Amino acid sequence: MKLIILKDEQALSNYAAKMVMDHINDNPNGLLVFPTGNTPLGMFESLVSKYQKGLVSFRNSSLLELDEYYGIAINSYLNLFAWLDRTFIQKVDFFPKNVFRFNSDSLNSEAEIQRISAIIQSKNGIDLLVLGLGTNGHIGFNEPNSDPTSPTRIVKLTPESLQSNSRYWDEDSIVPDSGFTLGMDSLLKARKIILLVQGNSKAEILNATLNSDISASVPSTYLRPLKNCYILADQEAASKLDTNLINNLG
Ligand code: PGA
C-alpha cells in the first residue's frame, strides 16, 4: 500500500482523476468499480471534464456497482445506482450494455448475487476499484466483521452507515436497513485499488486503517498489505497520523 497525502479536497480529486484516467488509457477494457458518497464527487467532476476534452473515454470499459440498498424499487431515484448514473455515468460514454447494477428489488436475492458474481468472473475480476472509507472502516457495505473471504452478499447496515447515508433520503422516507455489497473476496483481488479519504471526520478511521491490527473489526485494514493499493488522503484526513509513518510511507 502506498499513502499519498494531498493538500486538500481539490488536489485529492484531481490526483484521483488523473490516476483513473491514466489507468483507463493503459487498460481500456477493464471492469471498473466506483463508489458513491461525498468523497468521490470532485473526482467524478474532473473525470467528466477530462472526457469532454477528449483525454479519456469509457467506451471500452465496463462498470459494476459497488453496493446498493436492498428492498427499494429499481427505478427509484433513491437507488445508489441512480445517484451514480446522474453524477457520472450519464455524463460520459459508457455503453449501456457494459454497465451492471444490483437489482434493488430482486425477489430472489440469491440468484441476484449469483448473477453479479458471474459478471465479475466473465470480466476476469475487477480491474480498477475506487473506494470511499466509512467512518467505521467499511468498504462498500462490507461493515465491521467482514473478513477477506466475505463474498458478495446482502448485509444488515450498521447505524453508522444508515446515518451517513441518510442524506440520500427525505426525512420521512423509510430507509432500507440492508444492502447488497460486492464481497471483500472480489474487492481485495482488484488489479488496482484507490482508497479516497477526505476531511477531518475521517482522521480517526484513517489512523485506525493504517495503524490498528489488521482485522475484520476494521475491514479497511485488509487493504494495507496490498502492493497495488493507493490511499489518497487530504491533509485534514491525515491530521491524526504519526509523522514518522507519513515520512516512511509517503
Ligand atoms: P462519504 O462516504 O464519501 O460520503 O464520506 C464514504 C462511505 O461511507 O463509504
Side-chain angles (χ1 to χ4, degrees):
M1 181 272 304
K2 186 164 167 56
L3 173 67
I4 301 166
I5 298 176
L6 288 313
K7 188 165 155 274
D8 55 19
E9 183 181 358
Q10 186 67 50
L12 181 143
S13 299
N14 292 344
Y15 197 100
K18 169 129 184 13
M19 276 187 88
V20 170
M21 175 181 76
D22 290 347
H23 184 89
I24 292 173
N25 284 337
D26 290 343
N27 310 273
N29 303 313
L31 178 62
L32 313 173
V33 174
F34 290 150
T36 50
N38 282 334
T39 310
L41 282 171
M43 177 191 77
F44 287 138
E45 207 175 296
S46 173
L47 278 174
V48 169
S49 154
K50 289 180 191 313
Y51 160 71
Q52 287 167 345
K53 291 178 187 149
L55 299 173
V56 66
S57 166
F58 300 85
R59 67 174 175 268
N60 295 315
S61 305
S62 302
L63 180 109
L64 173 63
E65 211 183 358
L66 172 62
D67 48 17
E68 182 57 274
Y69 290 113
Y70 180 52
I72 52 171
I74 188 148
N75 59 1
S76 165
Y77 80 100
L78 296 169
N79 273 290
L80 293 178
F81 181 82
W83 183 95
L84 190 60
D85 196 38
R86 285 192 298 274
T87 308
F88 179 57
I89 299 171
Q90 278 175 18
K91 297 182 178 174
V92 295
D93 61 345
F94 285 104
F95 278 121
K97 72 172 177 50
N98 293 335
V99 175
F100 303 96
R101 63 181 294 187
F102 287 101
N103 178 354
S104 55
D105 66 358
S106 167
L107 293 176
N108 185 343
S109 56
E110 207 33 59
E112 183 59 8
I113 288 163
Q114 293 310 323
R115 185 182 71 83
I116 295 290
S117 303
I119 291 167
I120 298 174
Q121 218 169 6
S122 74
K123 301 282 173 189
N124 291 319
I126 300 168
D127 188 45
L128 175 64
L129 168 65
V130 183
L131 294 167
L133 179 62
T135 49
N136 61 2
H138 76 198
I139 49 179
F141 278 154
N142 290 287
E143 300 282 25
N145 298 320
S146 301
D147 72 30
T149 65
S150 306
T152 295
R153 65 203 187 284
I154 290 185
V155 295
K156 192 111 178 113
L157 301 178
T158 58
E160 268 135 314
S161 296
L162 288 170
Q163 167 61 31
S164 131
N165 289 340
S166 59
R167 60 180 174 264
Y168 292 105
W169 304 85
D170 299 330
E171 254 169 45
D172 49 358
S173 300
I174 297 171
V175 180
D177 64 357
S178 58
F180 287 105
T181 187
L182 297 185
M184 296 290 280
D185 59 348
S186 307
L187 298 184
L188 297 176
K189 284 191 211 125
R191 280 180 284 285
K192 183 179 275 186
I193 302 176
I194 303 172
L195 177 72
L196 307 176
V197 196
Q198 188 259 310
N200 279 319
S201 65
K202 301 292 171 70
E204 294 275 1
I205 193 62
L206 179 61
N207 192 34
T209 299
L210 296 175
N211 287 319
S212 65
D213 292 345
I214 296 178
S215 87
S217 58
V218 182
S220 52
T221 55
Y222 290 116
L223 297 170
R224 225 155 74 203
L226 304 180
K227 288 210 161 54
N228 55 344
C229 175
Y230 298 79
I231 300 188
L232 309 189
D234 68 1
Q235 278 178 1
E236 283 186 7
S239 59
K240 296 216 162 120
L241 299 181
D242 180 324
T243 39
N244 286 332
L245 178 91
I246 294 173
N247 292 337
N248 288 335
L249 291 172

